[in-house]
Structure formats: structure tokens, C-alpha cells
Amino acid sequence: MDDTYDVVVVGAGPGGEVAADRIVRAGLTAVVVEAEAVGGECSYRACIPSKALLRPGAAREAARSVDGARQAVTAVLDPALVLARRDRLTGRGDDSGQADWLNGAGIPLVRGHGRLAGVRRVDVTGTDGTVRTLRARLAVVLSTGTEPALPPVEGLDRIGVWTNRQATTADAVPGRLVVIGGGVVACEMATAWRSLGSSVTLLVRDRGLLSGWEPCAGEEVTRGLTALGVTVRFGVSATRVARDETTRTVTVETDDGAALVCDEVLAATGHRPRTTDLGLDTVGLPAGDWLPVDDTCRVTALDGDWLYAVGDVNHRAPLTHMAKYQARACAAAIAERAAGRPADTGRRQAWSAEADQFALPQAVFTHPEVASVGPTERAAREAGLAVRAVEYRIDDVAGAALHADDFRGRAKLVVDETRGVVVGCTLTGPMATELIHTATVAIVGEVPLERLRHAVPAFPTVSEVWLRLLEAYGL
């Protein structure tokens, strides 16, 4: 068997799949190595199952927000049916469909744990312990992702703690759930399990949710969680946890002297790179570290153009859509260099994954939804931009009143006064996750406000908020 390919891709998550596909489309050969399931974390234990858990609650709330429909919604969610639908969408981890897709795309799949074994070499250890060596003529692309990192809480590693993996795949609704964290995973999972009947308490070390976002995002999510019945405790950290061997309940002690009794604990406080057992030492790189890359996703700590890293493992933009974006750019760079061209990381080139620096879209499917793209007002000012921010209540748009009787939403635009373009946008409320792409296009396209005023939103739609924001700016 010929085990030499143009590109060897280690990791078959969204980034790895897309990178291999684009490499093959460019006329080169690629092989993918995967130790677990093709499709990665997103397909089975993160994005897809979490949104499957969240959608039924959101659909119920949408129906209850309109008089006439509200009266028809008389029952609570059926947890068994919600979990069954999630399982249909994820296949309960069965990756045969995605593995078949790889085969149909002409990309061989090698099952096993891949490790670098020197320059352009990857050793793959199969489940039977046999080792197969793959060689790359051009490049190795690492797309191994991350794994949950537990906070330093005494006893947390001994109670069978939930991470995002258990929180999205659990087969039963816990009666009482304590969530440690205040980020996206914490907020979404608190929303999902509360909608399915759990009594949820959120322990947040900071003074607000979604730190790093515009303050209005965290404020609105806090309001929404509280309205759902979630107990949100700010400025509180768990210090010790223990599970009773008889009752199987967990006691969570906090630094303010409280002791919470629950059935499960979800630790949603961050991730670490899956690079500890990746063979990085064979090429002079430290094991366990993130892999810094340039805009072509080439690992910058090494000379030459042979090692690349896409997705969460490079720590640039840990989001599935950005992993795919990076993979497209990475494959284009490899193909360009294979053709003898330099693939310089100039702006707006096909091989330059630069968007995370100025137009990183984020969507949180809580109730209400929140979404953002580009820097916050504070971050833009700290970056030295001369900016002006405008805000508008989305509920004051005619389309909002038609969409829901109790519509509540906020919009904030950050404008670079020097260039006269939008650089940041944050939205809260129904459909915020869908509306944000308009802002992404405006930012990436650097559309001047004087031109953007001619993009007329249809009446009566919620998108008219764009007209109102421009009017608030003075246009």
C-alpha cells in the first residue's frame, strides 16, 4: 500500500474535513486520520446536539409570544421526544454517514491515533496496536481541536462531572443542575436544561455573563435566564464538591459559605488544546501547547511551509464556522505554494484567514438570542480607533411588534469615524443569530455608511433596525 500523499490531515472534525476536501478539489491528494468519530466534537457533543436541545424551548417561546398562538401552547416540553430528536440529528455518535462522505470525495480515512514522527511524517496507531506511517509530499495539517479543562475545584475530578460532552449527550434530565461558568456553553446549557425541567443554578465568578461582549448582551441573557427560572449567582466560585455514595447527590461548596445540593455539576469554564500526545516533540515543539499560526494557518514556530494547524487547536477563533474558514484558506495556501507561488498573506486573498482579526461572528442561542461581529466599542477604542457607537431598541421597529407581542431586543453599532464604516455590531432578541450576517457583510465589505444608507430594508421586517441605526447615527 502506498502511504504517501500530498497532504496528511490529522483530525476529522469540521476543519480537517474541509481542508482535505479543498486539497482534493485543487487536484492534490489527501488522507485523513481520526481516532474517534468523523465529524468531530461539533457534530456529536457540541454545536449540533446543543442547538437540538435548545430549539424546542425556543420554538415554544416563539409560539407563546403571539396572542392567538399562545393559547394553543398548553403543555410543557416532552423531554423524551426532545432527546430523541437530538439523537436523530447526531446519530448518537454514528459517523458512518460522514465517513461515507469522505470516501465519496476521494479522501482515504485511516482510523487510529495520529502523531507526528518527524518532518512530513505521521505515525498512526490503530486500535489493535499496529503502527502505520503516512508520509506527506507537501504538508501535514493538524486539526485535533480541544478538550474540556476543569477549573481548580477540590473533588471535581472525582464526582463524574459533566463537561459540554455530557451536557449535550445526557439521556435523562437532572432534577437539579449546578453550572460553573458564565460563558457561551454555560448560558446555553443552563437555558436548555431549564427548558426541559431542571432546577438550574449558575455560579459565575465574574460580575456578569459573557465577559468580552458588549455589556448589553450579558444583561439581556441574565434577564432571560432569570425569567426562565434559572438562579444566577455572580461573584461566586465553587471551592469543593463531593458526591454522596448512597444518594448519588452532589454537594457544591462555594466561597461565600453556601452549600448547594444537586444531581449533576456542569463545568463550563474553558478548553485546552489536544496537543499533549501529538508528537510535537519530534519536530522541536513543546507538547500540550497551542499552535500559533499565520494567516495561511502555517505553524509559525517552525521553518518551512510544511506544518499547518486549523480550528480550535491554533487558538485564534474557537468556533466551528471559523475552523471551516481557516481550512479553506489553509488548503488554498498549500495548493498555491505547491504551484510555486508564494501565497503571501495579503488582505482578502483566498489563502488568508484574516477575518478573525476584524469580523468574527458569534451567535448564542439563549433566550433571548445574542449575536455579535467585530470588536466591542471598548475593544475598538483600546485598539486606537476613533469610533462612535449608536444604539437602538429593536422593539421599536414595526416588524418587531408583528413578530412577537412581547418582542424585546437591543442593537448596537460601532462605527469607525475615520473611514466611515461599521466595524462592530451586537444584537439581542429574537432572530439575532440570523440578523447578524448583515453586519458581517457590511464589515467585511467595508461598505461606507453613505452607501449603506441605500441598502433599503423591506417593510415591515425586523431588519428595519438597520435603517433606524443609521438614522440614530445621523444619516
Side-chain angles (χ1 to χ4, degrees), residues 160-178:
V161 64
W162 279 13
T163 66
N164 68 283
R165 298 178 175 185
Q166 292 76 26
T168 56
T169 60
D171 291 326
V173 179
R176 297 160 297 181
L177 175 67
V178 169

Side-chain angles (χ1 to χ4, degrees), residues 85-331:
R85 179 175 181 266
R86 174 205 62 190
D87 290 346
R88 288 196 303 273
L89 290 168
T90 62
R92 290 192 65 86
D94 179 4
D95 70 346
S96 56
Q98 297 206 52
D100 288 344
W101 176 85
L102 278 179
N103 182 62
I107 304 166
L109 171 64
V110 178
R111 299 274 189 181
H113 182 75
R115 299 178 186 84
L116 289 173
V119 177
R120 298 189 184 86
R121 289 182 54 189
V122 174
D123 283 347
V124 184
T125 304
T127 55
D128 60 358
T130 59
V131 178
R132 177 176 171 184
T133 299
L134 305 175
R135 294 174 174 81
R137 299 185 189 91
L138 299 174
V140 173
V141 178
L142 302 177
S143 182
T144 52
T146 59
E147 58 190 7
L150 297 182
V153 177
E154 181 184 347
L156 200 59
D157 59 345
R158 298 192 296 272
I159 64 166
V161 64
W162 279 13
T163 66
N164 68 283
R165 298 178 175 185
Q166 292 76 26
T168 56
T169 60
D171 291 326
V173 179
R176 297 160 297 181
L177 175 67
V178 169
V179 181
I180 301 173
V184 173
V185 173
C187 293
E188 287 191 343
M189 289 298 91
T191 302
W193 288 109
R194 177 61 193 142
S195 73
L196 292 172
S198 287
S199 175
V200 180
T201 299
L202 202 57
L203 301 180
V204 187
R205 180 182 60 186
D206 298 327
R207 293 295 175 181
L209 298 177
L210 302 177
S211 61
W213 288 60
E214 293 285 4
C216 64
E219 292 166 5
E220 290 297 296
V221 172
T222 300
R223 181 192 62 80
L225 286 172
T226 302
L228 284 175
V230 175
T231 300
V232 184
R233 300 187 62 199
F234 292 114
V236 176
S237 296
T239 57
R240 183 178 180 274
V241 299
R243 188 182 291 275
D244 187 292
E245 293 300 327
T246 302
T247 64
R248 302 304 299 163
T249 59
V250 179
T251 299
V252 181
E253 298 176 8
T254 60
D255 58 2
D256 64 350
L260 309 175
V261 178
C262 62
D263 299 290
E264 301 293 349
V265 175
L266 165 60
T269 54
H271 286 72
R272 61 188 176 212
R274 298 182 69 181
T275 58
T276 301
D277 190 18
L278 197 52
L280 295 179
D281 58 302
T282 67
V283 295
L285 297 178
D289 283 1
W290 302 99
L291 295 171
V293 298
D294 63 17
D295 287 343
T296 68
C297 294
R298 181 185 64 83
V299 175
T300 54
L302 290 179
D303 293 330
D305 297 324
W306 72 271
L307 186 62
Y308 296 77
V310 300
D312 292 6
V313 74
N314 66 33
H315 210 219
R316 282 182 61 139
L319 298 161
T320 295
H321 46 281
M322 299 308 289
K324 294 181 178 183
Y325 166 69
Q326 290 175 5
R328 295 190 293 270
C330 175

Side-chain angles (χ1 to χ4, degrees), residues 58 62 65 213 216-221 223-224 363-372 392-395 400 403-404 406-412 426-436 462 465:
S65 71
W213 288 60
C216 64
E219 292 166 5
E220 290 297 296
V221 172
R223 181 192 62 80
V364 185
F365 294 81
T366 44
H367 180 72
E369 295 181 351
V370 297
S372 73
Y392 195 82
R393 298 286 323 184
I394 305 178
D395 9 330
H403 183 84
D406 56 353
F407 196 109
R408 177 186 172 109
R410 298 164 72 174
K412 181 172 183 177
T426 297
L427 304 172
T428 78
M431 300 188 300
T433 57
E434 296 295 337
L435 291 169
I436 199 64
V462 180
V465 68

Side-chain angles (χ1 to χ4, degrees), residues 12-23:
E17 286 182 307
V18 171
D21 182 47
R22 289 300 182 105
I23 287 293

